[in-house]
């Protein structure tokens, strides 16, 4: 690479000494040519960071460093274009593309014929791929052939721009008079049903014409005059606007070649006008092609319209998707010429928009045509917005935007709501004014249907409300946020929802089960989360005024010293208040830490009351409060909560006392094991659900504290561990104490233990509904790793001591263990792998006995797989290889989850790479297990079983080398 740079520098320094450079240029290039094309076999990890592309670019710059290389470089590059190696072709095209302007037109003119001949061959040979590959609606296929063809077209464009001569038509005449071009054009024009070879030729012709048309007005006029009238004759389009009636016979078909080239020429002409518009304000009056197009624009637009009509009526599929694509694209191109270049009248422009709108509203059964029409309307709207065309903007707004919005207002049950919403969002995203109208229409539809669903109790409206809210939150809100107009709109709509909810009577309980309330809460979170602190405060104030007035009985029943409260009296209209609390919880969850909260003491009490009734959103809101608590929080003078620590103490005291009596709460922190053995027999008179609710609420609060790194998390963790260990105390309790105890209370202890085990899943896992970055949670780095490191020794010790207990009680401990390591960072787990793996294997064995554990088992297998694939974890795997393989062979037949079976087999495949002496004795056992899996009902499992059997069967042949 350094040598190439030296050549480039030397040639540029000596460019004034033309005689000396010309004398030794051949010798220098002979050396350079030996390195072309560049073959570089070193990997990406070389010390100098040199890549093949970097070397190739340096050599290309050296090639272009002096025009005296032209006699030697151009023949070499043209010769390499005939190479069978794709890399050589691609590099030759790139080098040629850069050498043409570097060597200059005078030197390169004599190569024009050779360049065109070689580029033509490359373009036609690489024009494979999807039909209509150059259209705006087609997707490019990034293959080697595609890249070569693309680079050849770039090179042709460069040659057209630089290879000029006194008559200016040198290269253009070569192309237009080329016999091969003429013959291929006649072939594709002579048949309705085109072969694959003809399609490739058609792609090549369209690409070549497109390059010529977009190069200059002069080139455009020449190509347009030569080909476009002939294409109109083939398609049967009248040459005059006075005769605009066009009929298409769907029984005889349509010449797709002529149709495609017609649309391609129109599109290229439009691209030329866009470039001309940016460079100068040249009037189209001087452009011959524009006069011809304007003259036939009416019959041409009628032809495209007739093509779409025929495509929807045909029954023999003679007019297929290719015809539909050309028809839609033709109308779109005619309607998107900029400003004074527009060849159609306002009436025709309006008709084109009406055609597409008719498809949107009436032909939605044809999904392909519907999607193309919607995309065409979007492109037309973007064109209007880009060029600030006032007249066309008015027509577009009335014809398209107004009609799209009316779809929400009209009760048209035949058109699917999802299509309506897709259309309205796509059209709204065209511009700010359109989106403002769309937002208003969506909001009005949401509020109207919420009112009807809640007041009239019509369950069929729930699905409509959910769909509207989903569309608004997932498509509209992100667009508003991206374009910087989120705050005012979101604040207004959030307050509007609260006002509507305030006027509701007691809602129908079935609405909650249908997902109505969940959708409303999700939308409220996103509305609040995207606002600034100032706008969030406005929403909070309005929401709190409604909640405090609507739940006045609840608020007034709360005495100020919250820690002394024994129960909460819920008002008769609890369901309505529940909705308000749920919605207000969503507001609190989404707040910035700096946003002020009114009457924190009352809110904590309110959320605690609902938490103990088993309501998760209030628990999540309470967790968000303790997670985001800051000095900016607004606390009233009469509040008993003056600090975060005090608030946490209030919450924990309430939760602890709901599970244990006040005297036994003291025993929780005591080291006297003799008292702790019977702690579960001294429960409060509250029912089991209340106790489980308290444990579940503690999980969310613990999650909030863990993420901010607060030390009070330790108390919650110890309490949850106590609930887990208490189940062991019952198991080892003397029989006379068990008989004297209440069976319900014993069952409650076990349910509490299960709830405590699953609490660790809440604490460690990531949440999409709260306590995440989207909702501005306070997150301390490495919080999961620290919690894992501090808790794991305690869990491992408890599991070791529970070896004599029954399977059910051990399963609870294993669930807690599984939740902790499943969500812990893999690096932390691998570091403790030698301690964890034996327990991990035992947990998989025990958890496999109950289908309830299938999701957790899959997560644990992923952890085992991660340890196995880690270099530092393999040593621990080898130490326990026999018990691991024994377990995996059992899980190959696990009946409750396909992913467990598939992952178990994948782990066995990975273990086949471990030391031969350790795995070979287990080979028969593995082969027997995977042979059974060959008959698994799931294809993915059978595929992995085949791989596994082949891998382990090959171990026998490898053993011959030992």
């Amino acid at each position: 690479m350094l040598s190439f740079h030296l050549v480039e520098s030397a040639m540029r320094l000596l460019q004034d000494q033309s005689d000396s450079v010309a004398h030794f240029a051949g010798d220098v290039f002979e050396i350079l040519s030996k390195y072309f094309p560049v073959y570089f076999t070193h990997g990406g990890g070389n010390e100098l960071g040199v890549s093949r592309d970097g070397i190739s670019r340096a050599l290309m710059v050296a090639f272009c460093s002096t025009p005296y290389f032209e006699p030697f470089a151009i023949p070499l590059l043209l010769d390499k274009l005939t190479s069978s190696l794709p890399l050589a072709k691609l590099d030759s095209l790139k080098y040629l593309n850069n050498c043409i302007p570097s060597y200059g037109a005078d030197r390169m003119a004599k190569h024009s014929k050779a360049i065109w001949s070689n580029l033509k061959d490359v373009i036609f040979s690489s024009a494979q791929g999807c039909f209509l590959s150059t259209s705006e609606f087609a997707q490019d296929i990034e293959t080697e052939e595609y890249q070569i063809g693309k680079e050849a077209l770039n090179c042709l464009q460069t040659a057209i721009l630089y290879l000029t001569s006194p008559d200016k038509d040198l290269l253009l005449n070569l192309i237009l008079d080329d016999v091969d071009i003429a013959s291929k054009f006649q072939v594709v024009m002579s048949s309705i049903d085109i072969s694959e070879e003809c399609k490739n030729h058609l792609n090549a012709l369209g690409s070549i014409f497109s390059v010529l048309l977009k190069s200059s007005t002069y080139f455009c006029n020449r190509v347009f005059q030569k080909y476009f009238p002939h294409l109109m004759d083939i398609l049967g389009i009248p040459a005059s606007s006075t005769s605009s009636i066009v009929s298409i016979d769907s029984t005889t078909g349509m010449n797709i070649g002529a149709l495609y080239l017609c649309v391609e020429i129109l599109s290229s002409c439009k691209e030329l006008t866009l470039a001309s518009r940016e460079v100068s304000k040249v009037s189209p009056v001087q452009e011959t092609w524009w006069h011809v197009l304007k003259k036939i624009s009416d019959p041409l637009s009628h032809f495209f319209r007739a093509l779409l009509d025929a495509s929807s009526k045909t029954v023999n599929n003679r007019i297929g998707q290719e015809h539909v694509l050309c028809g839609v694209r033709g109308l779109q191109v005619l309607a998107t010429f900029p400003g004074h270049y527009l060849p159609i009248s306002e009436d025709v422009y309006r008709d084109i928009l009406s055609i597409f709108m008719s498809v949107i509203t009436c032909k939605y059964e044809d999904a392909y045509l519907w999607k193309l029409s919607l995309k065409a309307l979007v492109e037309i709207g973007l064109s209007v917005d880009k060029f600030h065309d006032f007249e066309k903007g008015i027509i577009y707004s009335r014809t398209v935007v107004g009609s799209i919005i009316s779809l929400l207002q009209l009760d048209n049950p035949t058109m699917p709501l999802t299509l309506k919403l897709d259309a309205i969002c796509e059209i709204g995203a065209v511009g700010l004014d359109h989106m403002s109208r769309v937002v208003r229409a969506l909001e009005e539809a949401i509020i109207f249907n919420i009112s009807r669903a809640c007041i009239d109790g019509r369950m069929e409206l729930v699905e409509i409300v959910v769909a509207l809210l989903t569309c608004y939150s997932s498509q509209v809100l992100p667009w508003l946020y991206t374009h910087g107009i989120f705050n005012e709109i979101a604040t207004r709509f959030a307050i509007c929802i609260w006002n509507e909810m305030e006027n509701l009577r007691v809602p129908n309980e079935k609405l909650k089960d249908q997902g109505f309330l969940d959708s409303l809460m999700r939308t409220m979170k996103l509305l609040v989360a995207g606002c600034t602190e100032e706008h969030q405060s406005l929403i909070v104030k309005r929401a709190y005024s409604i909640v405090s007035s609507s739940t006045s009985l609840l608020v007034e029943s709360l005495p100020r010293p919250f820690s002394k409260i024994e129960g909460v009296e819920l008002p008769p209209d609890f369901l309505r208040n529940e909705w308000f609390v749920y919605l207000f919880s969503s507001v609190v969850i989404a707040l910035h830490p700096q946003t002020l909260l009114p009457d924190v003491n009352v809110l904590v009490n309110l959320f605690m009351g609902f938490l103990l009734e088993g309501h998760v959103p209030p628990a999540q809101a309470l967790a968000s409060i303790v997670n985001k608590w800051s000095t900016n929080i607004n606390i009233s003078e009469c509040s008993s909560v003056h600090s975060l620590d005090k608030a946490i103490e209030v919450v924990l005291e309430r939760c602890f006392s709901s599970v244990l009596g006040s005297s036994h709460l003291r025993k929780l922190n005591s080291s006297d094991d003799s008292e702790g053995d019977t702690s579960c027999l001294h429960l409060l008179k509250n029912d089991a659900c209340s106790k489980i609710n308290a444990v579940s609420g503690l999980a969310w609060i613990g999650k909030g504290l863990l993420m901010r790194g607060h030390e009070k998390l330790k108390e919650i963790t110890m309490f949850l561990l106590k609930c887990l260990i208490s189940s062991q105390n019952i198991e080892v309790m003397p029989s006379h104490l068990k008989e004297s105890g209440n069976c319900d209370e014993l069952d409650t202890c076990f349910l509490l233990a299960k709830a405590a085990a699953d609490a660790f899943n809440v604490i460690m896992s990531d949440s999409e509904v709260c306590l995440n970055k989207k909702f501005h949670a306070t997150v301390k780095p490495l919080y999961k790793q620290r919690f894992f490191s501090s808790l794991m020794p305690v869990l491992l010790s408890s599991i070791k001591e529970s070896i004599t207990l029954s399977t059910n009680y051990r399963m609870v401990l294993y669930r807690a263990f599984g939740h902790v390591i499943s969500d812990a960072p893999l690096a932390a787990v691998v570091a403790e792998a030698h301690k964890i793996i034996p327990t991990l294997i035992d947990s998989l064995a025990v958890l496999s006995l109950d289908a309830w554990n299938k999701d957790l088992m899959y997560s644990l297998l992923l952890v085992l797989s991660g340890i196995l694939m880690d270099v530092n974890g393999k040593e621990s795997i080898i130490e326990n290889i026999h018990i691991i393989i024994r377990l995996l062979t059992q899980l190959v037949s696990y009946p409750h989850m396909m992913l467990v079976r598939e992952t178990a087999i994948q782990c066995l495949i990975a273990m086949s790479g471990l030391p031969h002496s350790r795995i070979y004795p287990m080979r028969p056992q593995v082969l027997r297990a995977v042979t059974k899996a060959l008959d698994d009902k799931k294809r993915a499992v059978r595929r992995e079983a085949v791989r596994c059997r082949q891998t382990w069967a090959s171990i026998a042949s490898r053993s011959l080398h030992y």
Side-chain angles (χ1 to χ4, degrees), residues 899-914:
L899 289 174
V900 170
R901 302 194 299 275
E902 182 183 13
T903 308
I905 297 175
Q906 290 170 346
C907 288
L908 286 173
I909 295 173
M911 294 187 74
S912 66
L914 296 177

Side-chain angles (χ1 to χ4, degrees), residues 80-264:
K80 290 296 183 181
L81 283 179
T82 62
S83 172
S84 59
L85 297 176
L87 182 64
K89 280 188 177 182
L90 193 60
D91 275 0
S92 298
L93 291 168
K94 291 179 179 179
Y95 280 47
L96 184 60
N97 193 31
N98 283 271
C99 287
I100 291 174
S102 297
Y103 296 164
D106 294 338
R107 287 181 171 271
M108 293 300 301
K110 60 179 177 288
H111 299 289
S112 297
K113 187 173 182 179
I115 290 175
W116 161 241
S117 178
N118 283 273
L119 290 180
K120 176 185 64 176
D121 293 341
V122 173
I123 293 171
F124 275 96
S125 63
S126 61
Q128 301 175 1
C130 75
F131 188 40
L132 302 177
S133 60
T134 57
S135 82
E136 299 170 14
F137 294 103
Q139 294 183 350
D140 292 333
I141 303 175
E142 297 292 339
T143 62
E144 285 184 342
E145 288 296 324
Y146 171 79
Q147 291 293 339
I148 291 173
K150 183 178 179 181
E151 197 61 44
L153 292 173
N154 291 337
C155 191
L156 177 61
Q157 185 175 20
T158 302
I160 290 172
L161 293 176
Y162 285 93
L163 298 187
T164 57
S165 61
D167 61 1
K168 195 179 182 180
D169 295 345
L170 176 62
L171 189 57
L172 178 61
N173 288 333
L174 285 173
I175 298 174
L176 295 183
D177 298 336
D178 190 280
V179 176
D180 289 339
I181 295 293
S183 63
K184 289 180 171 61
F185 181 82
Q186 290 300 325
V187 169
V188 297
M189 294 299 108
S190 62
S191 176
I192 295 176
D193 296 323
I194 304 180
S195 64
E196 288 299 321
E197 182 182 7
C198 287
K199 288 183 179 181
N200 295 335
H201 291 166
L202 189 57
N203 279 331
L205 287 172
S207 300
I208 293 171
F209 291 167
S210 179
V211 170
L212 292 173
L213 289 159
K214 291 186 289 188
S215 297
S216 68
T217 300
Y218 175 76
F219 278 52
C220 183
N221 287 331
R222 287 285 306 275
V223 176
F224 197 91
Q225 289 173 335
K226 181 176 179 64
Y227 289 105
F228 200 73
H230 184 40
L231 294 174
M232 297 298 98
D233 291 339
I234 295 174
L235 295 174
I237 299 176
S240 173
S241 60
T242 58
S243 177
S244 59
I245 300 176
V246 179
S247 62
I248 295 178
D249 187 358
S250 61
T251 61
T252 59
M254 175 66 57
N255 191 304
I256 185 62
L259 182 60
Y260 167 69
L261 290 180
C262 171
V263 175
E264 202 64 29

